[in-house]
Amino acid sequence: MLSKEEKELIAQIWEKMIPIASEIGSESLHRMMTTFPGTKTYFSHLDIRPRSRQMLSHGKKIVLAIAECSKDISSMMVTLAPLQTLHAYKLKIDPYNLKYLSHCLIVTLAAHMGSDFDPVAHAAMDKFLSAFAAVLAEKYR
Amino acid sequence: MVDWTDAERSAIVGLWGKISADEIGPQALARCLIVFPWTQRYFSSFGNLSTPAAIAGNPNVAKHGRTVMNGLERAVRNLDDIKNTYAPLSVMHSEKLHVDPDNFRVLAECITVCVAAKLGPAVFNADAQEAFQKFLSVVVSALGRQYH
């Protein structure tokens, strides 16, 4: 359950991340693949060295998709429909991994925002990313 | 026995030297109680936990946060025997305190976020995070080990 204030807070945070989407995204991916090595199995077709061109581009895509959703959280099901199909029928990433990426996105935000990523922001972000992951995995079965 | 690489050992000891348990402990416990409010179930005797501000300012939360975080010192000093180092604490959390062991994982997550916020992305980089999270997961496992 996200309050109106929480939704605004989440939108504000992601708005600030848009200009540095490739940094935030690629750092989160690198943190995830380093801390949870099983996640690397989904990237055997890409150059996963930190800040490689492909990681910067892939990270940017992910952050921009999240930022887009954050602008209108109540419409998440509609906004994410194409990505739901992609993940369910083509990528088939075990949805458990979405938790790992969400965690690393949060660690990346905390590292970059410092004390601005206070417990209230953390709580809102954790709720939002959990909901995002759940919606993303909805068409799996 | 846990396999630590030399890089992981030095990362863990290095990170521990860069943070203050007295500072991070209260922040991490408060964050846990705010972000995962069901964890408040164990702290009904702590007084006012009704708002994030109340939790952040609660002296019992701060004191307990310091106790818990300083408790990690023993693990840092005994990286090769964390399981036995924490066996009595594990028994206590199970039989006396009746704490769901998933809470150890949840608190570890909050400690990680607080350390990241404190140290920033250059110091708390991916390799540091990997070593630190591996360390915390060993602690979490040791604390849950004596539950039957």
Side-chain angles (χ1 to χ4, degrees):
Chain A
M1 292 284 294
L2 285 166
S3 69
K4 185 163 149 287
E5 291 78 16
E6 283 177 318
K7 287 183 190 177
E8 280 165 13
L9 184 52
I10 292 161
Q12 273 165 30
I13 291 174
W14 287 110
E15 181 72 35
K16 286 202 207 110
M17 298 300 138
I18 289 173
I20 50 169
S22 54
E23 315 301 315
I24 297 294
S26 66
E27 185 182 320
S28 301
L29 285 169
H30 181 53
R31 286 182 185 280
M32 180 188 74
M33 288 191 265
T34 309
T35 310
F36 307 105
T39 56
K40 284 195 287 196
T41 57
Y42 294 98
F43 295 93
S44 50
H45 60 297
L46 292 181
D47 175 2
I48 60 172
R49 286 171 303 175
R51 304 185 55 78
S52 73
R53 209 159 38 90
Q54 288 180 318
M55 283 296 101
L56 286 168
S57 148
H58 198 70
K60 183 175 179 182
K61 254 192 277 193
I62 294 174
V63 168
L64 291 182
I66 297 173
E68 190 57 35
C69 266
S70 75
K71 292 179 188 164
D72 188 2
I73 293 175
S74 359
S75 304
M76 229 174 7
M77 292 285 275
V78 173
T79 319
L80 285 180
L83 281 175
Q84 285 178 321
T85 305
L86 178 71
H87 282 74
Y89 298 115
K90 182 150 179 274
L91 301 178
K92 299 190 197 152
I93 297 170
D94 187 326
Y96 203 83
N97 295 291
L98 301 176
K99 242 195 272 277
Y100 294 142
L101 182 57
S102 298
H103 169 73
C104 290
L105 279 160
I106 283 176
V107 171
T108 303
L109 287 173
H112 284 261
M113 291 173 62
S115 54
D116 283 347
F117 194 67
D118 65 16
V120 173
H122 181 173
M125 194 57 70
D126 195 61
K127 288 194 277 184
F128 168 63
L129 290 177
S130 305
F132 187 95
V135 170
L136 206 55
E138 192 121 22
K139 288 190 178 143
Y140 272 58
R141 55 176 177 174
Chain B
M1 263 288 283
V2 179
D3 262 313
W4 303 104
T5 65
D6 290 339
E8 283 169 339
R9 280 178 201 274
S10 82
I12 292 160
V13 172
L15 283 171
W16 187 253
K18 292 191 174 83
I19 59 175
S20 152
D22 284 344
E23 186 192 352
I24 299 288
Q27 286 174 5
L29 184 58
R31 196 170 278 257
C32 187
L33 295 170
I34 293 166
V35 178
F36 307 103
W38 49 91
T39 56
Q40 292 171 23
R41 73 189 304 285
Y42 302 105
F43 300 99
S44 50
S45 64
F46 272 30
N48 187 4
L49 299 178
S50 58
T51 65
I55 292 169
N58 185 310
N60 291 317
V61 171
K63 179 160 172 264
H64 193 66
R66 285 191 291 270
T67 303
V68 168
M69 196 72 188
N70 278 297
L72 281 179
E73 169 91 26
R74 276 196 292 157
V76 176
R77 304 294 158 223
N78 287 289
L79 285 177
D80 290 314
D81 198 18
I82 293 178
K83 187 170 79 183
N84 288 321
T85 303
Y86 282 144
L89 263 181
S90 176
V91 170
M92 183 182 89
H93 281 75
S94 165
E95 295 179 8
K96 186 158 166 270
L97 303 175
H98 308 295
V99 174
D100 181 339
D102 193 59
N103 291 288
F104 308 138
R105 183 194 56 81
V106 166
L107 180 57
E109 211 175 284
C110 292
I111 292 172
T112 300
V113 173
C114 288
V115 170
K118 177 75 189 178
L119 297 180
V123 173
F124 196 69
N125 58 25
D127 291 322
Q129 181 184 346
E130 186 274 332
F132 194 63
Q133 289 202 211
K134 180 171 166 179
F135 165 69
L136 288 176
S137 72
V138 172
V139 170
V140 165
S141 167
L143 283 171
R145 192 79 175 52
Q146 309 303 329
Y147 278 63
H148 303 293

